[in-house]
Amino acid sequence: LSAFFALLSPLPLVYANLRFGRWWAWAAAITNTIWVAVAAGPTSAGVYVAAVLTVGLVLPELMRQKVSLQRTWAWTLGALSLASL
């Protein structure tokens, strides 16, 4: 069940970025990272940044620039791959 929720976890950041703008998305990302670090430790915060924030911040930027769907997913997957190194 947690794998299912892990796939949905970037969606609030995507929504915040598209609806309220970049500033609110970054504020939410920093706040969420602090909460994860406090609740689960710095290692979990690093995993959160690599897995959730990368998708949650890159995907809406590409959508806002009207990049094609295939390129949007390719760039997002590439950013996710680089962040996981």
Side-chain angles (χ1 to χ4, degrees):
L1 188 61
S2 66
F4 173 72
F5 288 120
L7 293 174
L8 298 176
S9 57
L11 291 180
L13 288 175
V14 171
Y15 177 76
N17 198 332
L18 292 175
R19 172 85 171 148
F20 303 113
R22 290 179 188 100
W23 191 91
W24 285 105
W26 278 97
I30 292 168
T31 304
N32 289 349
T33 304
I34 291 170
W35 277 110
V36 171
V38 168
T43 303
S44 294
V47 171
Y48 179 79
V49 167
V52 176
L53 291 188
T54 303
V55 174
L57 295 175
V58 170
L59 185 64
E61 288 298 325
L62 294 170
M63 292 169 66
R64 185 178 284 122
Q65 294 176 10
K66 306 262 192 262
V67 177
S68 70
L69 182 63
Q70 294 85 0
R71 288 188 181 186
T72 298
W73 282 107
W75 278 103
T76 304
L77 184 62
L80 187 59
S81 299
L82 285 175
S84 65
L85 293 177

